[in-house]
Amino acid sequence: MKKLFITLLFLTFSLFVQGQSEQLAQNYFDRGEFEKALISFEDLLKSQPNNFTYFQKTIECYQQLQQFDKAEKSIQERYDKFKQANLLVELGYNFQLQKNQEKAKKYYDQAIDKIKKNVNEVYNIAFIFEKKSLVDYALQSYQLALQLEPKFDFNFQMALLYGQKGDTDKMVEMFLDESFKVPQNLIMIQNQLSRFMMDEGGTTFNETLKKALLIRIQKTQDIFWNEYLSWLYVQQKEYGKAFIQQKAIYKRNPESFSNIVNLGQLAIEENDDEAATEILSFVLENTKDLDLQIQAHTYLMEMKIKKAQPKDYAAINLELDNLIKEFGVSPYSLSLLKLKAHFATFNLKDAETGKTILKNVLEMPLNRDKIAEAKMELADILLFEEKFNQALIYYSQIEADGNNSPIGQEANLKIAKTSYYKADFKWANHQLEVLKSASTQLIANDALDLFLLISDNTVEDSTQVALKKFSRADFLLFQDKKPDALAAFQAILKENKGDAIEPVTLLRIGKIYESMGDTASALANYKQILDNFKECIYIDEALFYSAEIYNQMNDVEHAKPLYEELITKHEDSIYYVTAQKKYRKLRGDKEI
């Protein structure tokens, strides 16, 4: 037993030492210290002569040091010993690095000949050609293998290679063939297509993809291709066009509205109210499913409330009451009940009604997720009333029960925001530090924005006087007290001129004016950021918000250069993709 223990201890130690040596060798290689890397990899190869990774790295070190004769000798010796066909590619590539294309071709052709003798060799040979970026030879390998064995399927690999060559027509055709043939690869393929859609030449590529899909829709009448085209339109945020495809699907498969309702929700999130209204109205006209009806009505009411002015509140309140009366007070109508509670509190300033509704809801038999939703809304109302500690209790319950789920992370963000509103900036940043890497991108972005706001305005002002005033103004915005918030932000501008807080204050004021319909004042505030704070982190937002206003006014002359500046100078902006699409449209790029 003791001997076994000593043996195991020795093996563990040996593996640890080897791992350390391999990491050291790789570090030398990554830093370009190829002489040191070569010594380390040669030692590792001596200890494990059959290890192909160590052999490969040794060869690469020889080649980086232009010791091509040593590389050739080592590859040839290994080929003589193991007869691996991929080593013929290595030999050819060694000559290619010496610009001896004739000898390189000779070995590449020998490697391809090996596929003729054993078709299964294609896997190793094509792989090594791909790794060396020898795209044409890799394609030739796959094509030969398919001639010899038509049952093989290399659509995905070949599509990627055609993409590397810039032959997007062939790439699209092969990806679409593979999508239909192997549906489980659909998401992986769509992710690859999305990369090409994001590139500078994305407009041309999108046209190619649309044409290919439209041809397949016309030829086969299979709803698979309508779904595919709908997906493409969603990527481009063209929800009206996606809806046309979803309607075509519905006509042939009227069993479910779930995709159409989800599409309506996406349109709402992207502020495409016109498409959202059309989509949700279609749902209400064509379904008898009560859940879908309630969901559609809730979304439509949310859009009405978002646009409403105080004069509209009485009519909206009556409409909400009528809908609740129609569908009843039950767990099924939770979305309408939550909306009524929120509207009563934040719009009508009647928090008592909001709390009564939600406390009654929490008496119902609800599942865990529904309980969390109701508690979240109740916590928001308590926060509205400035009952910070009571709100924190509910948020903390949701966060503890959520087990790092999206609603748990949302509750965690609200805990941080509550601390921020209370001017407890140290605790807020402690929470935000974790949330910056949240799995939900929107929460991660919001957490990062608030973290930077607190951090940036603590460096110059350790007493955080301006930040305390700013957090109070932000709280007034949370309470939907826009006139009070506007006055508070304007006071900060007067009292803290030249401070780090100035550009974000201008941004907040601009957004308030936008929500009040005063676009001229909004643009004036954004322009101050663009003129006076060119290096601040809010410049991309000022560009995007300004461009959006001009675009809505059909003022192409002013909108276009703002979008252009954002996409050329701020590629890391969260608005980059949307700005790129809208810029191309204003530029007059062809649409199908």
Side-chain angles (χ1 to χ4, degrees):
M1 189 71 179
K2 186 177 179 182
K3 286 183 179 179
L4 178 62
F5 175 75
I6 292 170
T7 303
L8 288 172
L9 188 64
F10 176 76
L11 286 171
T12 303
F13 179 73
S14 298
L15 288 170
F16 174 76
V17 171
Q18 183 181 310
Q20 292 288 94
S21 300
E22 184 177 344
Q23 186 177 9
L24 179 64
Q26 188 61 48
N27 286 340
Y28 284 139
F29 189 91
D30 293 340
R31 294 201 301 263
E33 298 179 36
F34 298 112
E35 293 92 346
K36 293 179 181 178
L38 177 60
I39 293 168
S40 297
F41 279 122
E42 282 180 333
D43 287 343
L44 286 165
L45 189 59
K46 283 176 187 175
S47 66
Q48 291 191 46
N50 295 336
N51 188 305
F52 188 78
T53 300
Y54 297 156
F55 168 75
Q56 183 80 47
K57 285 295 181 182
T58 302
I59 296 302
E60 288 178 23
C61 287
Y62 285 141
Q63 290 168 341
Q64 289 289 345
L65 296 168
Q66 298 191 0
Q67 297 176 10
F68 298 113
D69 290 345
K70 286 186 177 180
E72 182 185 351
K73 183 182 176 185
S74 297
I75 299 167
Q76 188 66 58
E77 286 175 355
R78 194 174 186 88
Y79 179 72
D80 292 340
K81 183 177 180 181
F82 295 107
K83 300 299 181 185
Q84 293 170 313
N86 59 317
L87 291 168
L88 292 168
V89 179
E90 292 286 354
L91 277 169
Y93 189 69
N94 195 58
F95 282 111
Q96 183 166 322
L97 290 174
Q98 300 172 70
K99 309 215 182 296
N100 188 338
Q101 203 60 42
E102 186 179 341
K103 274 199 171 182
K105 184 178 183 303
K106 170 189 165 185
Y107 285 106
Y108 294 156
D109 289 343
Q110 284 181 29
I112 289 172
D113 282 341
K114 293 288 183 180
I115 299 172
K116 294 177 183 176
K117 296 173 184 176
N118 179 4
V119 72
N120 289 314
E121 288 280 13
V122 67
Y123 294 102
N124 290 326
I125 293 169
F127 172 77
I128 200 73
F129 277 133
E130 287 183 50
K131 191 175 177 184
K132 304 293 186 188
S133 297
L134 298 165
V135 175
D136 288 329
Y137 281 106
L139 281 169
Q140 189 179 339
S141 301
Y142 285 129
Q143 288 161 350
L144 175 59
L146 287 170
Q147 288 173 16
L148 297 170
E149 181 48 81
K151 290 181 180 178
F152 278 165
D153 181 3
F154 299 121
N155 282 336
F156 187 85
Q157 296 92 324
M158 292 176 73
L160 288 175
L161 290 167
Y162 280 122
Q164 289 179 44
K165 278 172 64 83
D167 191 343
T168 52
D169 286 356
K170 282 189 177 178
M171 181 192 78
V172 164
E173 289 301 320
M174 299 204 84
F175 269 145
L176 295 185
D177 286 343
E178 182 70 4
S179 299
F180 191 75
K181 187 177 179 182
V182 190
Q184 58 264 37
N185 288 343
L186 178 62
I187 293 175
M188 181 170 63
I189 289 167
Q190 287 179 337
N191 287 339
Q192 290 292 337
L193 292 171
S194 294
R195 289 174 53 204
F196 282 86
M197 291 161 66
M198 297 276 286
D199 289 344
E200 184 55 37
T203 302
T204 304
F205 176 75
N206 291 347
E207 289 176 10
T208 299
L209 183 53
K210 284 178 191 175
K211 285 178 182 176
L213 289 169
L214 286 167
I215 288 168
R216 287 168 188 251
I217 288 170
Q218 291 164 2
K219 281 184 177 179
T220 69
Q221 300 296 305
D222 194 308
I223 62 172
F224 178 85
W225 302 116
N226 297 94
E227 287 281 13
Y228 220 124
L229 187 55
S230 177
W231 167 82
L232 174 59
Y233 285 132
V234 168
Q235 305 313 300
Q236 297 176 287
K237 303 186 188 299
E238 297 183 74
Y239 301 104
K241 292 181 179 180
F243 178 47
I244 292 170
Q245 298 306 315
Q246 289 298 332
K247 278 197 291 187
I249 295 165
Y250 167 73
K251 285 177 183 176
R252 281 174 278 170
N253 182 23
E255 293 178 5
S256 173
F257 269 99
S258 58
N259 285 348
I260 295 178
V261 174
N262 292 339
L263 185 61
Q265 187 177 10
L266 280 173
I268 291 170
E269 290 170 1
E270 293 295 331
N271 299 312
D272 189 346
D273 291 349
E274 183 180 347
T277 302
E278 183 186 4
I279 293 165
L280 297 170
S281 298
F282 178 84
V283 171
L284 291 173
E285 290 166 8
N286 290 278
T287 187
K288 293 180 181 178
D289 186 299
L290 286 180
D291 283 343
L292 290 177
Q293 286 181 16
I294 290 169
Q295 199 175 356
H297 275 300
T298 302
Y299 289 149
L300 287 167
M301 291 305 299
E302 284 174 347
M303 284 192 289
K304 280 187 181 179
I305 292 168
K306 185 179 175 183
K307 289 181 178 179
Q309 297 299 319
K311 64 182 175 61
D312 306 315
Y313 290 170
I316 288 173
N317 195 44
L318 180 61
E319 193 171 353
L320 278 170
D321 286 342
N322 287 337
L323 285 169
I324 290 169
K325 186 177 179 181
E326 178 185 348
F327 293 105
V329 176
S330 75
Y332 299 105
S333 59
L334 177 60
S335 60
L336 283 171
L337 293 168
K338 278 190 345 183
L339 186 58
K340 167 69 179 182
H342 189 93
F343 181 75
T345 303
F346 289 88
N347 296 85
L348 301 179
K349 311 305 177 193
D350 181 5
E352 288 305 318
T353 295
K355 287 192 292 184
T356 300
I357 292 169
L358 292 167
K359 285 176 180 177
N360 289 335
V361 164
L362 287 169
E363 296 296 320
M364 297 177 186
L366 302 171
N367 63 33
R368 189 174 70 173
D369 290 342
K370 299 295 185 185
I371 290 170
E373 289 178 34
K375 281 186 175 181
M376 189 82 84
E377 192 62 54
L378 181 55
D380 287 349
I381 292 173
L382 291 167
L383 183 56
F384 172 90
E385 294 185 299
E386 302 192 40
K387 295 177 180 176
F388 297 108
N389 292 334
Q390 289 184 46
L392 282 170
I393 289 170
Y394 281 106
Y395 288 139
S396 298
Q397 287 176 2
I398 300 163
E399 192 264 337
D401 294 340
N403 196 23
N404 209 32
S405 65
I407 197 164
Q409 291 182 347
E410 184 184 351
N412 204 354
L413 179 62
K414 290 193 174 187
I415 290 169
K417 284 187 174 181
T418 302
S419 300
Y420 163 71
Y421 294 142
K422 288 172 63 181
D424 186 354
F425 303 125
K426 186 176 180 180
W427 179 244
N429 258 13
H430 175 73
Q431 300 286 114
L432 295 166
E433 183 72 52
V434 176
L435 284 167
K436 288 189 297 179
S437 56
S439 57
T440 307
Q441 190 60 49
L442 186 61
I443 289 173
N445 289 339
D446 286 349
L448 179 59
D449 286 346
L450 188 53
F451 180 85
L452 291 173
L453 172 69
I454 295 170
S455 302
D456 290 351
N457 290 285
T458 301
V459 174
E460 288 187 12
D461 179 10
S462 58
T463 60
Q464 300 172 322
V465 173
L467 187 58
K468 287 172 185 174
K469 290 186 282 188
F470 191 92
S471 70
R472 181 61 193 175
D474 259 350
F475 183 64
L476 291 169
L477 265 186
F478 168 79
Q479 293 177 305
D480 201 26
K481 297 177 180 177
K482 289 175 186 172
D484 294 340
L486 181 60
F489 284 123
Q490 288 172 332
I492 292 170
L493 277 188
K494 290 177 184 175
E495 296 161 11
N496 299 89
K497 195 73 178 170
D499 289 355
I501 204 100
E502 191 173 352
V504 68
T505 305
L506 288 165
L507 197 71
R508 288 286 199 280
I509 292 171
K511 289 306 289 180
I512 293 172
Y513 276 129
E514 263 197 81
S515 68
M516 297 167 71
D518 187 349
T519 54
S521 295
L523 286 168
N525 280 273
Y526 298 147
K527 191 172 187 304
Q528 286 192 59
I529 300 172
L530 299 175
D531 291 345
N532 304 318
F533 301 96
K534 295 183 184 297
E535 301 302 319
C536 79
I537 61 172
Y538 306 102
I539 196 80
D540 65 316
E541 291 173 274
L543 284 166
F544 184 74
Y545 296 153
S546 300
E548 288 286 275
I549 291 173
Y550 284 123
N551 198 12
Q552 289 162 15
M553 294 164 59
N554 294 317
D555 187 344
V556 176
E557 185 181 348
H558 283 94
K560 189 176 165 186
L562 291 165
Y563 285 131
E564 184 176 15
E565 185 174 347
L566 192 151
I567 62 180
T568 54
K569 296 183 180 178
H570 303 278
E571 292 184 6
D572 58 344
S573 171
I574 60 172
Y575 303 105
Y576 176 82
V577 174
T578 304
Q580 189 180 50
K581 174 184 172 293
K582 294 194 175 185
Y583 172 72
R584 287 170 175 168
K585 191 171 183 179
L586 291 179
R587 192 172 61 184
D589 290 358
K590 184 180 176 184
E591 288 284 351
I592 294 178

